[in-house]
Amino acid sequence: GHVVLWHTFLQTTQSPPQNNMADNTGNVLPGATDFDKLEYLCQRTYKAQAVWFLNAFWDTIGEREAENLWNYVHKAVEIDLDHREAGTHLNEMEAHRLLESFDETMTVREMRTYLRQHGAIGERVKNVPLTHWWIAKYKADWAVLVNAPQGDNKEAIEKAQAMLESAQAALNEATARANEAANALRQAIAAEDAAKAREAEAKAAEAAAVAREDSAKSAEAAAVSREQAAKSAEAAAKAAEEQAHARAEAAKASEEAAHTRKEELAAKEIELEAAQAELEAALAELKAQEDAYNAKTAELTKKSEEGGVVSRNRAKNELAQHLAEDPLPLRRAKITMEAAVKKADRARNAVATARVDAEAAAEQASKDRAAAEQAAAEATSARQAAEQSRAAAEKARAEATAARQAAEQSRAAAEQARAHSEQAKAAADAARQEAERQVAAAEAFLQEEKAKPGQAYGALWWIERELFEAKKYMPTSKGGIAK
């Protein structure tokens, strides 16, 4: 900043080039001739040349043109990239830039012509010190310049200069510390706000993770309960399945036996059907015989009651002989045959019914077993999914807790950094107050010295002007001025 620039500038203007010349603040220029003295003056820094010129011509030129000389010095420092505040002269190109920046109409050649005409320089001059320019610009008597008194207040000037340097150094340090503290405080506050935001987000995420974990645990417990119920149902189903399989095996065996019996019965049935057909044919024959017997009985009975005696008697004898025959074996054989047919039908129907029932029982047992296995598999999948969800929720909760702890640590660190920054700001404020006190003391001393006769008013003005610049970096509430 400008304060640092001026502090460096002040330091460099206190020591002349190492050529056995007096220091820049000396009241007398060394040299056997005025020409030597001017050459020595031109080897001083830009600032030292300006102060000497102002002191020499304060009443005629200095007081009126002091601000312009100030601007010339600062522009020269800006142009002189190699030497800055320690510079003593510009080259011709740099000098042209300087003159152009102030819209000066006089050229470097015209300036040198003027100086040669008045004996200030020789023929071969390559560089342009500011003193040469001011002599030509203001038509100043250079012999008067190099021999002009610089006031009898050298000690006061040196004291004021020291006070200025001390104030500027303190102000520089205070400003730097204040800027650093302010930046650190802003960064700390921003970091603290960000850390608090992250902490709030982490706490919210942790709460959500805990809620998800609780939900996952509840779901897991429900899944475990369902799994246990499913396992119980599965065990029961397995037992029932085993029983059903046993029954199915038995039914299968029975079925196979039934099939065998069915086949046997089918064959038997065919046989029975054939036998039945034979029995029925036999029955039909028996019935036909019985009908014939009964018809003959009726016929002989009728004949025994009608016709002549002889014919009736003959019919009676035949009827008696006919009735003497026994029809009971025929009836018994018919009854036995009918009973055998009915028994065969019942046996065949019973075997077929038993086979169908066994097949249905085996099929139902298989369905029950498959349903139980599916229910158990679904319950196991649900439990595994619940376990995974619970594990994920626990992991998320752990991560959220870690994030919350990290955010709390970050927030604590940010608060600590803010506290340190506030302390640094307080120390910087105290340093600034001390610098402000030193500036005020330097101003008071300058005002006191300016009131005394025989002063180097140019030097005092310059110091006061530097104080004015320094006050641009002080708060306006503390006597500072706007930039």
Side-chain angles (χ1 to χ4, degrees), residues 15 104 132 135 144 198 211 219 245 250 262-263 321 376 391 446 452 465:
S15 299
E104 296 289 352
H132 285 179
I135 292 172
V144 173
R198 288 195 300 272
H245 276 297
K262 179 181 177 182
E263 293 174 356
Q321 292 177 0
L446 281 174
K452 297 178 180 179
R465 185 63 177 79

Side-chain angles (χ1 to χ4, degrees), residues 312-325:
R312 288 198 301 270
N313 288 332
R314 187 172 57 250
K316 289 181 180 178
N317 288 330
E318 289 178 0
L319 178 61
Q321 292 177 0
H322 175 69
L323 292 174
E325 295 178 357

Side-chain angles (χ1 to χ4, degrees), residues 40-54:
Y40 177 84
L41 175 61
C42 291
Q43 294 183 53
R44 282 188 167 187
T45 63
Y46 301 121
K47 173 193 170 183
Q49 293 179 51
V51 170
W52 188 279
F53 193 93
L54 290 175

Side-chain angles (χ1 to χ4, degrees), residues 259-299:
H259 277 296
T260 302
R261 289 186 61 194
K262 179 181 177 182
E263 293 174 356
E264 293 174 352
L265 287 174
K268 189 67 176 177
E269 187 175 8
I270 293 172
E271 294 177 0
L272 287 174
E273 287 177 353
Q276 187 175 8
E278 292 178 359
L279 287 173
E280 288 176 353
L283 286 173
E285 180 63 25
L286 288 173
K287 186 176 181 181
Q289 292 179 8
E290 185 179 15
D291 291 342
Y293 177 81
N294 290 333
K296 187 176 181 180
T297 299
E299 181 182 2

Side-chain angles (χ1 to χ4, degrees), residues 224-240 372 375-376 379-380:
V224 169
S225 177
R226 289 195 301 271
E227 182 184 23
Q228 291 174 348
K231 285 183 175 179
S232 298
E234 181 185 17
K238 284 183 177 179
T380 299

Side-chain angles (χ1 to χ4, degrees), residues 170-171 173-175 177-178 181 422-438 475 478:
L171 190 59
E173 181 180 1
T175 300
R177 292 175 62 183
E422 289 175 347
Q423 293 175 357
K425 183 177 181 299
D429 289 342
R432 180 182 289 276
Q433 290 175 359
E434 172 59 22
E436 291 164 358
R437 185 196 65 77
Q438 292 187 30
K478 302 295 183 180

